[in-house]
Amino acid sequence: MSKPVRISLDAMGGDHGPSIVIPGAALALERHPDIRFLIFGNETAIAPLLDAHPKLKAASELRHTEISIAMDEKPSQAIRMGRGKSSMWKAVQAVRDREADAAVSAGNTGALMATAKICLKTMAHIERPAIAAMWPTMRGESIVLDVGATIGADAGHLVDMAIMGAAMARIVFDLERPTVGLLNVGTEEIKGIEAVKEAGRILKEMDAPYLEYRGFVEGDDIGKGTVDVVVTEGFTGNIALKTAEGTAKQIGQYLRSAMSRTLMAKIGYLFAKQAFNALKDKMDPRKVNGGLFLGLEGVVVKSHGGTDELGFASAIDVAYDMAHFELMNTIRSMLEHDPVGHEA
């Protein structure tokens, strides 16, 4: 794209609302000077924060909304109360109306997914959307999907996710043929439920030019970075994500406790401080924040609700890359050539 990338923001979403969204947008603008923001939310709360960031204010349009969606709101209630009126709905609607190239919200995941599905609709031939997340690994980063959009998946849905995940990986990792694996209880072809085995057969036989299917992968392969894209259904994916987040916090707590237990441990920490800081930086969840909703007629990114401005800026980075490098066109092109009934 030679023109600016337009991103709409739900400024009222998340645990901290505008106090994180606005500084996060200012940081993202420093990284990507060609961004133009369309900000939705309470003008009284947002305007003073924009005044503190003149460059952001000059690159933004603020549109007042009276209604915001609470983090504990049920999706059905969020739709009834906020349809056509809430900051979340307006941000997604801007993508539908071509006023924005992507939308970012740190709000309630269920409400955002319901809003996006109703407002944007799913892509042709895609029955259900998926949430794709960046995952730090021993060799860099991988993409894992679905991490919680829908529960259960048949073979066709798993293949769709493999294709959409590969499209994202081509943009994020700049790869012509990303490697893809199906998460399973073992790597042998006879293992797993029928839907996973059938999806594996389809992916193996399609021999697509835009992805390289590597077969089944196990849980420990996610952290190893065995493949660029790991595909699973939302129930398993969400448990894997929350388990990894919890394990990272657990290890961090163990290290802090061990390093402060004795005088010698404290002295040892001083000598190893640089290494610990590098580890902390590598495991920083803020740098891989931003779950991409795949399968919709538009780009929507979900930021973690409790993140800070650095994390929210990372979510905007994801939205920027997907819009700038035209993810939707990449997905459409790839879906037209897969063997699961998507031929034009």
Side-chain angles (χ1 to χ4, degrees):
M1 288 185 180
S2 58
K3 59 184 180 180
V5 175
R6 304 163 301 168
I7 297 181
S8 58
L9 301 179
D10 168 20
M12 310 309 291
D15 297 341
H16 310 290
S19 65
I20 291 301
V21 171
I22 300 306
L27 180 56
L29 183 62
E30 291 179 11
R31 299 172 178 171
H32 311 289
D34 58 331
I35 291 181
R36 296 298 177 266
F37 289 108
L38 190 54
I39 303 173
F40 294 93
N42 187 295
E43 186 174 8
T44 302
I46 298 169
L49 295 169
L50 276 177
D51 289 339
H53 298 278
K55 290 183 180 179
L56 175 63
K57 185 175 182 179
S60 303
E61 178 184 345
L62 173 58
R63 295 188 186 178
H64 177 71
T65 61
E66 293 285 348
I67 296 175
S68 59
I69 303 301
M71 292 299 283
D72 59 353
E73 201 101 49
K74 291 183 178 180
S76 57
Q77 293 175 330
I79 296 299
R80 283 197 301 270
M81 184 181 76
R83 186 166 189 152
K85 298 179 287 185
S86 71
S87 57
M88 179 184 287
W89 183 282
K90 289 287 190 179
V92 175
Q93 182 176 284
V95 177
R96 184 197 70 186
D97 295 343
R98 305 277 196 268
E99 290 188 285
D101 302 303
V104 182
S105 173
N108 180 320
T109 303
L112 182 61
M113 177 58 77
T115 296
K117 287 173 68 175
I118 293 171
C119 197
L120 295 177
K121 311 300 183 186
T122 55
M123 300 179 72
H125 310 298
I126 298 294
E127 293 184 7
R128 295 180 293 173
I131 302 177
M134 300 297 296
W135 200 293
T137 73
M138 288 188 284
R139 70 179 186 92
E141 292 174 345
S142 293
I143 293 169
V144 179
L145 73 162
D146 178 16
V147 294
T150 55
I151 305 302
D154 59 19
H157 184 48
L158 290 169
V159 172
D160 287 341
M161 287 194 289
I163 294 169
M164 294 189 293
M168 180 179 175
R170 293 181 76 179
I171 291 172
V172 174
F173 304 137
D174 192 25
L175 296 172
E176 187 64 29
R177 201 163 184 245
T179 56
V180 176
L182 290 173
L183 188 64
N184 202 353
V185 294
T187 58
E188 299 88 349
E189 292 188 4
I190 61 170
K191 288 190 173 181
I193 60 175
E194 287 305 315
V196 175
K197 290 191 287 187
E198 176 65 10
R201 183 191 64 77
I202 294 171
L203 287 167
K204 185 176 180 180
E205 291 179 357
M206 64 191 282
D207 192 28
Y210 45 77
L211 67 83
E212 179 184 346
Y213 177 59
R214 289 280 183 86
F216 298 147
V217 295
E218 298 182 83
D220 61 337
D221 287 309
I222 302 177
K224 290 177 182 177
T226 303
V227 291
D228 300 309
V229 180
V230 177
V231 178
T232 187
E233 55 84 35
F235 182 84
T236 304
N238 190 262
I239 289 176
L241 177 65
K242 297 298 173 56
T243 301
E245 290 176 347
T247 301
K249 292 178 182 178
Q250 182 181 359
I251 292 172
Q253 183 58 48
Y254 282 166
L255 286 173
R256 284 190 293 271
S257 177
M259 291 298 101
S260 61
R261 188 167 297 158
T262 66
L263 177 60
M264 289 303 295
K266 292 177 181 178
I267 294 172
Y269 169 76
L270 292 175
F271 282 106
K273 187 176 181 180
Q274 187 174 354
F276 280 115
N277 287 339
L279 175 63
K280 181 180 179 181
D281 184 70
K282 174 69 176 176
M283 298 179 68
D284 190 344
R286 300 174 301 171
K287 294 189 174 182
V288 290
N289 182 46
L292 176 64
F293 288 6
L294 288 172
L296 299 170
E297 283 289 355
V299 176
V300 177
V301 174
K302 168 66 173 72
S303 167
H304 195 291
T307 195
D308 62 9
E309 56 265 32
L310 177 59
F312 195 80
S314 295
I316 294 176
D317 288 344
V318 174
Y320 175 88
D321 285 344
M322 297 306 107
H324 183 76
F325 295 105
E326 301 182 337
L327 171 73
M328 302 305 299
N329 289 339
T330 301
I331 292 177
R332 289 190 186 98
S333 175
M334 290 167 66
L335 285 173
E336 285 175 359
H337 296 92
D338 82 74
V340 197
H342 300 145
E343 291 87 348

